[in-house]
Amino acid sequence: MKILVPVKRVIDYNVKPRVKADGTGVDLANVKMSMNPFDEIAVEEAIRLKEKGAATEIVAVSVGPAKAQETLRTALAMGADRAILIETDEEVEPLAVAKILKAIADEEQPGLVILGKQSISDDSNQTGQMLAALMGRPQGTFANTVEVDGDSVTVKREVDGGLQTVKLSLPAIVTTDLRLNEPRYASLPNIMKAKQKPLANKTAADYGVDLTPRLKTLKVEEPAVRQAGVKVADVAELVGKLKTLGIAD
Ligand code: AMP
């Protein structure tokens, strides 16, 4: 079985994003970029399935600028077998990504597509669900555990206050949650080996997908600055203040 893993290049999760002065978006100039953390978990899960013998090939895919090659090389260094870059300098919306992934899935015929549950850049949480709809295949979102058994996959999903177990027939779409696994670091020899692995360069036009945005971002704002706190002398003073604020009675 082949596994397709879409990986997105996003601002590194350790970097505090800064909103551009004109409020049109996040400033990406000279900012460290990395693989979306949920996608690292997706790559790791695909590798574990291959190590268990449930998968034979892992194909990493990214839609983004030429520099997204670095993200794909990271996936290859972790253990993916080959990669496809769909190069564009435009900001691509989840629907366009899902359409491209659908076209790639038609070509590659993967048994599983494992995506992150959301990209930390736009927090959309849409691509996996849209892809499942476009492919007409079942989806197991927010996966905490993934087990492939013959022609089905059992996914434990993280839901409010617990776990829900679903069984999907393959081919299926899975999106990863934070607790699914702890991604491995790529070792230096594997980083070197990854340079030799195949990476195909494509464009959206190769898949007949129109990238024209359907949405317009009107405004992006920084979170409100937190007000300075005050120190209270004792519990009585704290309770008094909570009462004045109507939080305690
Ligand atoms: P989103 O719907 O944007 O929150 O993204 C959910 C998941 O879809 C991500 O974790 C990736 O696995 C995948 N994805 C979204 N955008 C891209 C992209 N430009 N290239 C590759 N994968 C993507």
Side-chain angles (χ1 to χ4, degrees), residues 2 11 52-54 71 92 102 133 135 142 215:
K2 199 186 278 186
I11 292 191
K52 278 187 211 155
T71 316
V92 191
K102 155 86 167 72
M135 287 175 66
F142 314 125
L215 306 173

Side-chain angles (χ1 to χ4, degrees), residues 106-122:
D106 286 347
E107 250 178 46
E108 299 278 351
Q109 297 290 314
L112 264 181
V113 186
I114 311 182
L115 306 91
K117 75 166 177 182
Q118 77 192 54
S119 11
I120 61 166
S121 48
D122 57 22

